[in-house]
Amino acid sequence: MASLGYSLQLLFLLLSVTAFTTRACVRKPVNVTYDQRAVLIDGERRMLISAGIHYPRATPEMWPSIIQHAKDGGADVVQTYVFWNGHEPEQGQYNFEGRYDLVKFIKLVKQAGLYFHLRIGPYVCAEWNFGGFPYWLKEIPGIVFRTDNEPFKVAMQGFTSKIVNLMKENELFSWQGGPIIMAQIENEYGDIESQFGDGGKRYVQWAADMALSLDTRVPWIMCKQEDAPANIINTCNGFYCDGWKPNTALKPILWTEDWNGWFQNWGQAAPHRPVEDNAFAVARFFQRGGSFQNYYMYFGGTNFARTAGGPFMTTTYDYDAPIDEYGLIRQPKWGHLKDLHAAIKLCEPALTAVDTVPQSTWIGSNQEAHEYSANGHCAAFLANIDSENSVTVQFQGESYVLPAWSVSILPDCKNVAFNTAQIGAQTTVTRMRIAPSNSRGDIFLPSNTLVHDHISDGGVFANLKWQASAEPFGIRGSGTTVSNSLLEQLNITKDTSDYLWYSTSITITSEGVTSDVSGTEANLVLGTMRDAVHIFVNGKLAGSAMGWNIQVVQPITLKDGKNSIDLLSMTLGLQNYGAYLETWGAGIRGSVSVTGLPYGNLSLSTAEWSYQVGLRGEELKLFHNGTADGFSWDSSSFTNASYLTWYKTTFDAPGGTDPVALDLGSMGKGQAWINGHHLGRYFLMVAPQSGCETCDYRGAYNTNKCRTNCGEPSQRWYHIPRAWLQATGNLLVLFEEIGGDISKVSVVTRSAHAVCAHINESQPPPIRTWRPHRSIDAFNNPAEMLLECAAGQHITKIKFASFGNPRGSCGHFQHGTCHANKSMEAVRKVCIGKQQCYIPVQRKFFGSIDPCPGVSKSLAVQVHCSPHKSPQASHEPVQPTYLDYQWQQPLGAYDNPSERKPSLLPESY
């Protein structure tokens, strides 16, 4: 009977879970419209927070956790682009599986109880290969992208209709009970429209009419489109969108891309946007009449395979987002924005009750107040847009201290629930960990995103048993194209591979020359080249170059007689932004010549060139199982990786559930695969030594501000999704183009091992404790510190604790001149052994004696988290030696003439 009872309990539990899941998936149909103030859901105005998440930049197994983190962070909506080249890689052949299972992704959003914003485009930009266009589109006769061009309009309408019909078939629009409440046609077209003249204007109207004809019954938007037709909402993209207005007074103020981070190019330091500034921008947006705001990106993810665009975009698309590339919450960005969202939601009744945005009131020279009051609701925003000075202001008879470059939110027009510059959320410190080995124990590679990813060496996976196999050099014979001219790369490769061989030969003779020319020093000159090239002369690597339509002058050594010249030209992602994308090319362009010869210069532009698409290993899919005809593997002991070499090894998956990454800090340039899955391109390009000055959140943000990792690789870690791993025998394949130290390649895991916080006693109490018209008595409503380890971990050590006036930042706290002696004891008592703990920032909690009467005090704490006893062994990081590639004219942050430029600040700044 006990067994029967247990079975009945289990059955009841399963039925309960099923019922819950069913309820979560069922949503009543709603009608979505809009007025001049906001988007209306079933006639109710809403203040909406949206999280930008691109489904192909994560695996389906990661989607539920990422979506849940977005919901827990206060999002109402999930937004994504739709990636045409992922869904229709060949004309008429569709792909909606795996990372491109758009329907599954939207259904998971629905199951989480969130709304959805579908940005069909179908041009997306997104730092994505070819801006999301499939390559076959370029080859349609007579086509001109994104203008009043019939071949393009036919193809664009066909794909847009395909997506809309797919959504209808799966009942995913709001009127069908689905989560989709808005859609988008075109994308940032206003930036380039003028280059198409009247054809561009006609195209805008056509795109709007076409979208409306699809009967989605939800509002359509066009972002950055000032001439959007009356029945399409034009919206703002940028770092700041307060003060921006739509093109008619009948449309609400929507912010489709709040750039809360930035993308990264190879050779650049890592971009970061301080959360205080991001929160300031969002608060100002809602203060000045905004009603829908989307973070681009809330989760950035990874440019797997060859999806990175640009060109020159890194494989990581982390974007300094609230959820990092690996799916982990990034603190304090996630937590501080969560508190902001909660404060905005407290104001929602007042914000939606008014039909027009109230006039601002200047309460100081750079201080502005907005009060929303109607139907018994009242909310106020007090902004200090001074980028240097904190001030005390008067508002409705009360005094308020406003830090520089901040907004205070008062949901009852009296009490401050949140200030954008005062962070109450904890900071999480992440690290890369190499699994234990018999000889060395655990090795931890600090990866503090507040500072930079430090470099370390060694560990069990650094002793992987590698095998090597050479890629056939130059022209292989099969599939060869021969021409007496320089051919454009994409016309030959069709973007099926990054690689294209250009091969020719020249004969050097001593006839008519008085001196022996054997060993002649000359220059190979490439008139124009993009994106990258490796130059081989007589089977040896002479040099490499990378850049945007640059001239390359490469010294070469020639011999008496016949000399072979082989150029391995490479794309690093197709252009993703600009007008006339169909005309953009790649490879060796213009002319090729040899200069410096004893008898003058030699033009090779009309020589006989042979062309070979791709690599032999690519063609035979060597990365699927590590074997292919014609490839033999060498297991000999070696240290330095050779150029144009395939490497393979196997390893067992690291234990636990922490995200996994591949450490390629010792390698050069190439591509990586795990169990046949393409991780993407890797490239050990080092960022400049300068440009990483001290970060100050105050003042307008730009993409050069607050960068980190100067003098270090743009990217060292490469995400390996756990869904791509099996328990044992994982096949790792690398193709190395130039060389490196293969013995130092490691598999690591990423975890949050420490958390810390620093909170002043004058900060508002936690937003979760908010009550309207509560007393401002700090004794009864103290500020509070929450410290929380990741799931499955608990607090094992208090590294630092001080109530008084501690100094420093996370990882570098120090005691000040004022310190409560019982700080450590009090924190240890409430936190040790717990997954999370709450600490009141209040004098009486740290003893009966005030350590410094009359002094404003704060609490700083750092704790360590662990699922088990912390390892005793420690190892100092060791800096590896980077290969010096001598790249010619490396691409800088803004050398790309068509890079998107940030929007200017509103005039009020």
Side-chain angles (χ1 to χ4, degrees):
M1 292 297 292
S3 176
L4 177 60
Y6 174 78
S7 299
L8 290 173
Q9 289 178 359
L10 181 60
L11 177 62
F12 177 76
L13 177 61
L14 291 173
L15 290 173
S16 299
V17 171
T18 301
F20 173 78
T21 304
T22 302
R23 287 196 301 272
C25 290
V26 172
R27 187 199 298 266
K28 74 180 183 71
V30 296
N31 183 40
V32 181
T33 56
Y34 62 89
D35 64 10
Q36 79 284 2
R37 183 68 187 97
V39 171
L40 279 67
I41 300 178
D42 261 1
E44 180 183 356
R45 289 174 178 163
R46 294 293 307 275
M47 298 289 110
L48 296 172
I49 303 292
S50 176
I53 301 170
H54 294 163
Y55 52 101
R57 284 175 160 142
T59 61
E61 292 79 6
M62 295 173 65
W63 293 343
S65 174
I66 294 168
I67 293 167
Q68 188 61 47
H69 285 333
K71 181 178 181 179
D72 293 342
D76 308 290
V77 182
V78 168
Q79 180 199 89
T80 191
Y81 281 129
V82 179
F83 297 86
W84 190 355
N85 53 10
H87 291 300
E88 195 178 3
E90 300 292 336
Q91 189 169 12
Q93 298 179 18
Y94 294 98
N95 172 30
F96 290 97
E97 299 179 352
R99 291 186 294 113
Y100 292 96
D101 193 341
L102 176 60
V103 169
K104 179 177 181 179
F105 181 71
I106 298 176
K107 285 183 176 179
L108 287 171
V109 171
K110 174 183 176 180
Q111 185 174 329
L114 300 176
Y115 296 114
F116 201 87
H117 181 201
L118 187 69
R119 302 177 74 187
I120 300 175
Y123 164 75
V124 300
C125 187
E127 292 70 61
W128 189 265
N129 195 51
F130 213 26
F133 287 137
Y135 183 81
W136 57 260
L137 192 68
K138 170 186 169 78
E139 300 201 318
I140 294 177
I143 197 165
V144 181
F145 291 180
R146 305 176 73 194
T147 188
D148 187 16
N149 171 266
E150 199 60 28
F152 179 75
K153 292 192 297 183
V154 168
M156 175 179 168
Q157 182 168 0
F159 180 73
T160 305
S161 300
K162 175 75 175 181
I163 296 301
V164 168
N165 290 335
L166 184 65
M167 299 300 103
K168 289 182 180 179
E169 290 166 9
N170 286 275
E171 299 184 333
L172 294 176
F173 284 107
S174 59
W175 51 272
Q176 298 175 299
I180 300 174
I181 60 171
M182 282 196 300
Q184 177 178 308
I185 194 68
E186 251 303 338
N187 185 54
E188 298 184 326
Y189 186 68
D191 289 347
I192 64 169
E193 180 182 347
S194 62
Q195 297 184 53
F196 296 101
D198 290 339
K201 295 179 180 179
R202 293 193 301 271
Y203 171 69
V204 170
Q205 186 64 57
W206 171 85
D209 293 342
M210 183 269 289
L212 292 168
S213 73
L214 297 176
D215 191 31
T216 61
R217 305 185 210 175
V218 297
W220 284 88
I221 72 159
M222 285 181 168
C223 62
K224 299 185 77 172
Q225 193 64 49
E226 294 306 311
D227 61 349
N231 45 9
I232 301 289
I233 308 172
N234 64 306
T235 66
C236 183
N237 292 358
F239 290 117
Y240 305 90
C241 281
D242 60 288
W244 179 89
K245 295 292 189 294
N247 57 11
T248 77
L250 302 177
K251 301 175 183 179
I253 302 172
L254 310 185
W255 190 1
T256 37
E257 290 189 16
D258 170 5
W259 299 335
N260 53 282
W262 200 241
F263 55 81
Q264 187 173 13
N265 292 117
W266 299 113
Q268 285 186 352
H272 299 285
R273 185 181 184 187
V275 69
E276 299 98 324
D277 174 66
N278 199 185
F280 170 80
V282 175
R284 287 287 282 163
F285 176 72
F286 283 97
Q287 174 181 1
R288 302 180 72 185
S291 60
F292 173 97
Q293 173 264 339
N294 172 75
Y295 292 102
Y296 188 100
M297 301 293 301
Y298 199 80
F299 164 80
T302 307
N303 292 317
F304 294 116
R306 299 173 54 250
T307 58
F312 310 111
M313 299 297 172
T314 55
T315 300
T316 178
Y317 199 68
D318 181 84
Y319 226 87
D320 196 37
I323 305 172
D324 75 11
E325 177 184 5
Y326 302 88
L328 300 178
I329 289 174
R330 171 175 277 122
Q331 295 280 34
K333 183 164 276 192
W334 183 88
H336 192 53
L337 295 177
K338 175 183 178 179
D339 291 343
L340 168 66
H341 304 155
I344 291 170
K345 290 301 180 183
L346 289 172
C347 300
E348 186 172 27
L351 294 176
T352 56
V354 301
D355 293 328
T356 58
V357 178
Q359 292 292 319
S360 64
T361 301
W362 289 98
I363 52 178
S365 58
N366 285 299
Q367 293 75 44
E368 185 181 27
H370 283 78
E371 180 180 336
Y372 291 79
S373 181
N375 301 333
H377 302 291
C378 190
F381 295 78
L382 311 181
N384 180 10
I385 60 176
D386 190 310
S387 61
E388 296 182 3
N389 302 306
S390 297
V391 296
T392 299
V393 298
Q394 298 293 317
F395 178 71
Q396 292 193 353
E398 299 282 352
S399 294
Y400 298 88
V401 177
L402 300 179
W405 201 253
S406 77
V407 178
S408 285
I409 300 177
L410 290 63
D412 59 358
C413 286
K414 180 179 180 182
N415 295 289
V416 176
F418 180 85
N419 179 273
T420 59
Q422 296 178 319
I423 298 178
Q426 69 183 25
T427 294
T428 301
V429 182
T430 57
R431 66 181 174 190
M432 295 299 192
R433 174 181 181 270
I434 298 179
S437 68
N438 293 331
S439 59
R440 302 186 64 170
D442 285 3
I443 297 183
F444 299 97
L445 316 181
S447 178
N448 183 353
T449 56
L450 293 178
V451 187
H452 51 72
D453 287 344
H454 296 282
I455 306 300
S456 185
D457 180 20
V460 62
F461 291 111
N463 296 320
L464 292 167
K465 303 300 181 183
W466 289 95
Q467 294 178 287
S469 185
E471 166 70 18
F473 189 85
I475 301 300
R476 302 188 294 275
S478 61
T480 303
T481 300
V482 179
S483 175
N484 288 101
S485 62
L486 292 169
L487 302 181
E488 193 277 318
Q489 180 165 346
L490 297 181
N491 285 338
I492 305 175
T493 65
K494 313 300 183 187
D495 196 35
T496 58
S497 172
D498 279 359
Y499 303 100
L500 177 66
W501 283 103
Y502 292 68
S503 295
T504 192
S505 63
I506 61 175
T507 299
I508 300 295
T509 176
S510 58
E511 284 185 30
V513 180
T514 56
S515 60
D516 182 6
V517 299
S518 180
T520 293
E521 293 289 341
N523 291 316
L524 181 69
V525 180
L526 310 181
T528 304
M529 183 281 301
R530 64 164 289 203
D531 303 330
V533 64
H534 300 316
I535 300 170
F536 299 87
V537 177
N538 297 322
K540 294 183 179 180
L541 180 65
S544 303
M546 183 183 99
W548 179 279
N549 292 337
I550 63 170
Q551 183 185 66
V552 177
V553 180
Q554 176 62 53
I556 58 175
T557 299
L558 300 173
K559 64 183 181 180
D560 191 3
K562 186 177 181 179
N563 294 262
S564 63
I565 297 176
D566 297 282
L567 309 176
L568 183 58
S569 178
M570 296 155 288
T571 55
L572 280 88
L574 302 192
Q575 179 70 21
N576 62 262
Y577 179 77
Y580 302 104
L581 280 179
E582 72 282 355
T583 66
W584 292 70
I588 314 300
R589 314 288 292 277
S591 63
V592 177
S593 61
V594 178
T595 64
L597 295 173
Y599 42 77
N601 299 335
L602 177 63
S603 173
L604 301 180
S605 299
T606 57
E608 182 178 278
W609 288 91
S610 297
Y611 300 86
Q612 184 85 60
V613 175
L615 308 170
R616 178 65 171 164
E618 281 183 305
E619 181 184 338
L620 298 177
K621 296 181 171 32
L622 188 62
F623 38 80
H624 276 182
N625 55 25
T627 61
D629 292 341
F631 281 88
S632 59
W633 294 95
D634 179 10
S635 301
S636 303
S637 176
F638 48 80
T639 300
N640 293 321
S642 301
Y643 52 78
L644 301 192
T645 303
W646 292 89
Y647 294 93
K648 73 173 182 177
T649 190
T650 58
F651 66 94
D652 295 344
T657 59
D658 288 337
V660 182
L662 185 62
D663 179 2
L664 294 174
S666 63
M667 299 302 286
K669 177 183 181 297
Q671 300 186 33
W673 293 262
I674 185 76
N675 294 328
H677 297 281
H678 196 175
L679 295 181
R681 305 179 182 98
Y682 67 84
F683 197 176
L684 197 75
M685 244 197 129
V686 178
Q689 292 286 345
S690 61
C692 293
E693 291 79 14
T694 301
C695 178
D696 187 341
Y697 75 87
R698 299 173 301 176
Y701 178 75
N702 64 72
T703 58
N704 285 328
K705 187 177 180 180
C706 296
R707 287 190 177 253
T708 64
N709 284 39
C710 286
E712 296 188 11
S714 297
Q715 184 174 355
R716 176 184 172 182
W717 319 103
Y718 295 82
H719 181 206
I720 304 176
R722 278 201 175 263
W724 292 356
L725 293 175
Q726 53 202 27
T728 60
N730 295 285
L731 175 65
L732 171 60
V733 175
L734 304 180
F735 175 66
E736 173 57 49
E737 299 171 14
I738 299 179
D741 190 344
I742 193 70
S743 69
K744 292 181 179 179
V745 172
S746 303
V747 177
V748 300
T749 57
R750 183 177 180 87
S751 62
H753 73 291
V755 297
C756 50
H758 191 181
I759 297 179
N760 193 280
E761 62 181 350
S762 64
Q763 287 183 215
I767 194 75
R768 61 182 174 79
T769 67
W770 171 262
R771 297 291 181 275
H773 307 292
R774 63 184 172 184
S775 167
I776 313 180
D777 185 352
F779 188 83
N780 295 315
N781 299 281
E784 185 178 75
M785 178 181 292
L786 167 62
L787 299 174
E788 183 174 15
C789 296
Q793 293 185 336
H794 61 276
I795 298 171
T796 55
K797 182 180 180 180
I798 311 300
K799 181 74 173 178
F800 181 90
S802 177
F803 179 74
N805 58 356
R807 305 188 307 270
S809 58
C810 186
H812 305 282
F813 287 135
Q814 293 180 335
H815 290 147
T817 57
C818 168
H819 168 68
N821 293 330
K822 292 187 177 181
S823 299
M824 187 72 77
E825 175 186 342
V827 173
R828 184 180 293 113
K829 184 175 181 180
V830 298
C831 292
I832 285 291
K834 296 181 180 179
Q835 193 258 334
Q836 65 176 18
C837 60
Y838 294 88
I839 310 167
V841 185
Q842 186 179 41
R843 180 187 57 77
K844 68 176 184 179
F845 183 75
F846 298 96
S848 57
I849 300 176
D850 191 333
C852 43
V855 174
S856 175
K857 288 172 277 294
S858 63
L859 173 64
V861 179
Q862 178 174 334
V863 304
H864 283 196
C865 302
S866 178
H868 50 75
K869 185 177 180 180
S870 299
Q872 298 300 313
S874 64
H875 301 270
E876 290 297 321
V878 178
Q879 295 284 351
T881 301
Y882 299 123
L883 299 177
D884 184 1
Y885 301 125
Q886 297 296 322
W887 294 108
Q888 299 188 30
Q889 195 177 327
L891 185 76
Y894 297 102
D895 291 342
N896 182 338
S898 62
E899 179 181 336
R900 288 191 297 175
K901 297 297 188 290
S903 297
L904 297 176
L905 286 172
E907 291 182 1
S908 63
Y909 293 109

